[in-house]
Amino acid sequence: ALPGDGPSEPISTLLGSAEDGAADTLAPRAIAAGADRSRLHGLDAPLSVGSSEAGLVGIAELARALDATGAKLLVLDPLAAILDVRDAHRDSEVRRALAPLQALCGERGVTILAIRHLRKSPTGDGITAGGGSIAFSAAARAVLVAGVDREDDTARVLAVAKCNLAARAPSLLY
């Protein structure tokens, strides 16, 4: 089903996290959010797309995990810690590292939700707000930026910085 086609069936999610532990952080957050834990799957080892190092999940292992879980959403948190690139600021390296991941997920109809950290400097726009190369934003079909509301530091804003597949939605305050 395409977005906007109406209600859809729940999907399974495969989560690759390089920073948060499943037991102490991810599971409690999933429970608090009311997630159906039977549809939430974690990778057994750290993911390193493009790597073949022992102990790391490469693209072939990721394919097997997607097939085994039937996941239609792949969450990568944070993307920079998962991609096997020497220089995350080099456009060509980032695009080369993303290509097999995009191809794999495209073949299987899997959506990628990639988390990026913002640069330390608050200058620029939402497309260039994330650390590393502009290729991260260029390769994405949509880029959302979450941050502190400038007028109320207790509120947060979720804004669309890029959206190639639909009309740009208004920012959300929460």
Side-chain angles (χ1 to χ4, degrees):
L2 294 173
D5 284 348
S8 62
E9 292 298 314
I11 61 167
S12 290
T13 298
L14 183 60
L15 178 60
S17 178
E19 294 182 347
D20 294 317
D24 65 351
T25 304
L26 301 175
R29 287 179 181 170
I31 292 167
D36 177 351
R37 299 251 335 266
S38 70
R39 295 186 175 279
L40 189 57
H41 309 278
L43 291 167
D44 293 332
L47 176 64
S48 182
V49 175
S51 176
S52 59
E53 289 183 48
L56 295 176
V57 175
I59 200 76
E61 292 85 358
L62 178 58
R64 285 192 283 279
L66 288 170
D67 292 343
T69 63
K72 291 299 178 187
L73 176 63
L74 173 63
V75 179
L76 304 174
D77 182 19
L79 181 59
I82 289 167
L83 280 185
D84 188 25
V85 294
R86 285 188 174 88
D87 185 353
H89 291 85
R90 292 190 53 143
D91 188 88
S92 59
E93 273 195 59
V94 170
R95 288 179 185 270
R96 209 172 12 259
L98 287 172
L101 180 62
Q102 289 173 308
L104 171 68
C105 290
E107 290 167 5
R108 286 171 170 72
V110 173
T111 297
I112 303 166
L113 173 61
I115 310 297
R116 290 177 62 204
H117 290 241
L118 298 178
R119 289 181 289 110
K120 302 293 184 218
S121 170
T123 61
D125 59 18
I127 293 290
T128 60
S133 170
I134 186 69
F136 288 111
S137 292
R141 300 301 86 202
V143 176
L144 304 176
V145 178
V148 177
D149 183 4
R150 291 180 182 156
E151 297 175 9
D152 177 0
D153 66 1
T154 66
R156 303 295 181 261
V157 177
L158 180 65
V160 177
K162 174 184 176 180
C163 187
N164 288 1
L165 302 177
R168 186 174 291 215
S171 297
L172 300 174
L173 185 66
Y174 60 100

